[in-house]
């Protein structure tokens, strides 16, 4: 669309005239064009949405609904083929263009779900995401469904069309992600065999250890006493490190190369303060033998490592998020603590200090294990670290280190103090053999 056309459109709009070529389908195409150009074109998208709203009480707009649904269907098909998964796409859409856009996207995912019989043919993790999103595969993105969505109570036709156009631009502009599960074109007609959740995979080798770790972290999350939280978290980290070491020793005689065992998972980081929460995930991964790659725009983090280490990282990260949230809530009565700068700085400082404590706990547990297993442990752990680093570099040869700063001094002090109270060094309570055997 040329600058002259844009000016002409604005002039017709301002004078209340109908632009000569502005039939509904043409308007959708114009709106899509503007929506792919970036945030500087929001005003033009709104102009198109206002004009489409004027057609909304007539059947003239039906072709616009039809072309919008078709574009959205094709966009979803493309995104799932280039690595996106349902929950990630809904998450990134809410993060980038808002909650209403996320709702519309779930409607579009339902169309794909029905067309590909995803609830029976997709991998287990994909089906679980669809269930979590409450996707109804019978409610596809038809003209009638899109008309219903645009005519919801308390939503103006202009606002609805504005959301539609923004979602069209968003979904047609996203690039690829790493393909972590089979893509729809690779699904077979045979339903994949059930697999356990990431945390459940730990239990395959030692359900008693998993139950003990989860129990300790649950106690750390629920207690109102910092000293108790410290002791529970310390024991959990100690057990996690020892579990990872025991697993490494068991795998040491495996003739296969470790690099082939390195895998990638993608973690969705919730708003607000997704950058600070990503830093906490990075701190946990760094202390447990994994690497991270942050997709800032999408609030997604790839974690790369050996499966058992990634299981433990997910488990501990989830627990520490709960603990950090509770620590922030305890400060909520202070007006200072309600500000965004304070809360973000709190979480950044908390993540930094927790990372230091986790590394100390890992070093101590490794030293204790070395005394038990002798000098053979050091090269085994070094080989695992080398395999993860080599695989990460091969996957992401060009990355940039990101600095996340805590600018609020009071928030930084409070976050560090909270991390000290959630001390993970294991200094208060050590694990002896009777603990491990029980």
């Amino acid at each position: 669309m040329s600058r002259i056309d844009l000016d002409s459109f604005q002039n017709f709009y301002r004078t209340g005239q109908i632009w000569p070529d502005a039939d509904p389908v043409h308007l959708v195409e114009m709106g899509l064009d503007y929506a792919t150009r970036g945030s500087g074109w929001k005003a033009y998208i709104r102009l198109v949405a206002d004009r489409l709203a004027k057609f909304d009480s007539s059947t003239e707009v039906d072709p616009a609904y039809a072309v919008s649904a078709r574009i959205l269907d094709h966009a979803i098909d493309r995104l799932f083929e280039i690595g996106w998964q349902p929950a990630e796409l809904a998450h990134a859409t809410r993060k980038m263009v808002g909650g209403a856009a996320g709702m519309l996207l779930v409607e579009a995912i339902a169309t794909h779900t029905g067309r590909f019989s995803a609830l029976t043919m997709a991998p287990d993790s994909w089906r679980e995401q669809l269930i979590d999103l409450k996707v109804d595969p019978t409610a596809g993105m038809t003209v009638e469904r899109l008309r219903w969505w645009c005519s919801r109570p308390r939503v103006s036709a202009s606002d609805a069309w504005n959301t539609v156009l923004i979602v069209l631009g968003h979904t047609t502009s996203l690039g690829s992600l790493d393909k972590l599960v089979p893509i729809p074109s690779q699904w077979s007609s045979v339903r994949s065999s059930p697999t356990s959740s990431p945390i459940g995979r730990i239990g395959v080798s030692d359900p008693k250890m998993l139950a003990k770790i989860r129990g300790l972290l649950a106690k750390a999350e629920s207690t109102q006493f910092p000293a108790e939280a410290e002791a529970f978290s310390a024991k959990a980290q100690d057990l996690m490190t020892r579990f990872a070491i025991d697993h490494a020793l068991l795998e040491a005689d495996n003739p296969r190369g470790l690099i082939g065992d390195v895998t990638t998972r993608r973690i969705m980081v919730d708003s607000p303060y997704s950058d600070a929460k990503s830093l906490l995930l990075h701190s946990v991964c760094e202390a447990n033998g994994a690497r991270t790659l942050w997709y800032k725009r999408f609030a997604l983090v790839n974690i790369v490592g050996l499966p058992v280490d990634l299981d433990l990282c997910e488990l501990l990260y989830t627990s520490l998020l709960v603990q950090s949230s509770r620590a922030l809530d305890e400060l909520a009565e202070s007006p200072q603590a309600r500000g965004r700068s304070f809360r973000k700085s709190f979480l950044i400082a908390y993540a930094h200090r927790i990372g230091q404590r986790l590394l100390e706990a890992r070093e101590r547990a490794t030293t204790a294990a070395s005394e038990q297993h002798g000098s053979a442990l050091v090269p085994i752990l070094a080989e695992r670290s080398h395999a993860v680093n080599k695989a990460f570099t091969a996957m992401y040869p060009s990355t940039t280190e990101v600095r996340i700063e805590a600018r609020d001094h009071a928030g930084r002090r409070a976050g560090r103090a909270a991390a000290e109270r959630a001390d993970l060094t294991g200094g208060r309570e050590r694990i002896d053999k009777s603990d491990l055997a029980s």
Side-chain angles (χ1 to χ4, degrees):
M1 183 63 60
S2 69
R3 182 75 225 179
I4 295 175
D5 287 336
L6 290 173
D7 290 340
S8 299
F9 177 74
Q10 283 187 296
N11 289 335
F12 277 104
Y13 178 84
R14 287 171 183 150
T15 58
Q17 300 179 53
I18 299 176
W19 197 26
D21 296 325
D23 63 89
V25 171
H26 190 187
L27 288 168
V28 169
E29 293 169 349
M30 289 174 57
L32 171 59
D33 179 50
Y34 303 152
T36 59
R37 299 190 183 200
S39 58
W41 294 79
K42 288 181 179 179
Y44 295 107
I45 300 171
R46 174 58 72 175
L47 289 174
V48 174
D50 288 347
R51 187 68 190 87
L52 279 164
K54 294 183 182 298
F55 288 98
D56 223 51
S57 59
S58 72
T59 57
E60 289 182 78
V61 78
D62 283 352
Y65 286 131
V67 73
S68 298
R70 187 165 60 252
I71 292 170
L72 192 51
D73 281 349
H74 290 166
I76 296 297
D77 290 352
R78 180 187 71 88
L79 290 172
F80 287 163
E81 288 295 310
I82 61 174
W84 287 87
Q85 298 178 47
E88 299 167 349
L89 186 53
H91 169 83
T93 300
R94 289 191 295 267
K95 162 76 174 175
M96 298 172 70
V97 290
M103 291 169 56
L104 177 58
L105 195 78
V106 172
E107 296 282 340
I109 290 172
T111 303
H112 182 278
T113 300
R115 191 166 60 250
F116 281 81
S117 302
L119 289 176
T120 57
M121 294 175 60
D124 289 348
S125 61
W126 193 289
R127 294 197 301 270
E128 289 167 5
Q129 292 174 42
L130 297 176
I131 292 169
D132 288 342
L133 290 172
K134 297 180 172 59
V135 166
D136 179 3
T138 65
M141 188 54 68
T142 61
V143 170
E144 293 75 19
R145 185 73 177 177
L146 189 53
R147 179 187 281 279
W148 167 84
W149 194 89
C150 288
S151 60
R152 289 165 299 142
R154 297 185 295 278
V155 178
S156 71
S158 177
D159 285 345
W161 271 112
N162 192 65
T163 298
V164 170
L165 296 174
I166 287 173
V167 170
L168 294 181
H170 167 72
T171 54
T172 55
S173 301
L174 289 173
S176 62
L177 293 177
D178 299 297
K179 297 176 182 177
L180 304 185
V181 298
I183 58 178
S185 61
Q186 297 172 339
W187 298 345
S188 70
S189 58
V190 180
R191 177 171 174 157
S192 57
S193 59
T195 59
S196 57
S197 64
I199 290 175
R201 285 193 295 271
I202 302 176
V204 172
S205 52
D206 195 339
K208 185 179 290 188
M209 181 69 77
L210 169 64
K212 186 179 286 289
I213 292 171
R214 293 180 67 177
L216 289 168
L217 291 176
K219 290 177 181 178
E221 294 164 18
S222 62
T223 181
Q224 299 299 314
F225 301 101
E228 283 190 347
E230 173 185 345
F232 292 136
S233 297
K235 291 184 73 171
Q237 176 60 44
D238 199 333
L239 282 176
M240 289 166 64
T241 302
R242 294 186 187 209
F243 179 83
I245 289 172
D246 289 345
H247 190 274
L249 289 167
L250 289 173
E251 291 290 309
D253 295 329
N254 192 333
R256 295 179 294 107
L258 280 173
I259 290 180
D261 293 332
V262 175
T263 188
T264 303
R265 297 180 196 164
R266 205 150 39 234
I267 306 297
M268 296 176 290
V269 184
D270 292 331
S271 298
Y273 320 115
S274 57
D275 50 355
K277 293 174 183 176
S278 298
L279 179 61
L280 178 61
L281 178 57
H282 169 78
S283 297
V284 170
C285 289
E286 185 178 36
N288 286 283
R291 300 284 300 273
T292 59
L293 182 75
W294 182 29
Y295 293 96
K296 181 177 181 179
R297 287 180 62 218
F298 311 140
L300 298 171
V301 178
N302 276 11
I303 58 175
V304 180
L306 293 162
V308 65
D309 296 329
L310 299 189
D311 290 341
L312 297 173
C313 288
E314 290 190 67
L315 191 64
L316 182 56
Y317 169 66
T318 301
S319 176
L320 288 172
L321 270 184
V322 173
Q323 294 186 58
S324 66
S325 177
R326 190 186 66 229
L328 263 177
D329 289 343
E330 290 172 355
L331 301 172
E333 293 184 4
S334 167
Q336 182 185 41
R338 296 175 195 151
R340 287 186 60 85
S341 180
F342 177 96
R343 298 175 79 83
K344 180 176 179 178
S345 296
F346 175 100
L347 291 170
I348 292 171
Y350 180 90
H352 277 301
R353 189 56 184 151
I354 285 293
Q356 292 171 347
R357 295 297 192 181
L358 288 174
L359 287 170
E360 291 169 8
R362 182 178 178 85
E363 287 173 6
R364 199 191 68 238
T366 302
T367 299
S370 296
E371 293 173 358
Q372 179 182 353
H373 298 290
S375 59
L377 180 62
V378 174
I380 291 173
L381 295 181
E383 183 184 2
R384 290 170 71 86
S385 178
H386 173 72
V388 172
N389 289 333
K390 186 172 182 179
F392 184 89
T393 301
M395 287 186 284
Y396 312 112
S398 178
T399 60
T400 302
E401 193 168 308
V402 178
R403 249 185 106 77
I404 304 173
E405 296 184 359
R407 301 181 183 277
D408 186 287
H409 295 296
R412 190 164 62 234
R413 287 195 300 271
R416 187 177 179 86
E420 293 287 358
R421 292 195 300 271
D423 188 351
L424 303 179
T425 62
R428 286 182 176 265
E429 294 193 33
R430 294 184 59 86
I431 313 297
D432 58 28
K433 292 182 180 179
S434 63
D435 293 316
L436 296 173
S438 63

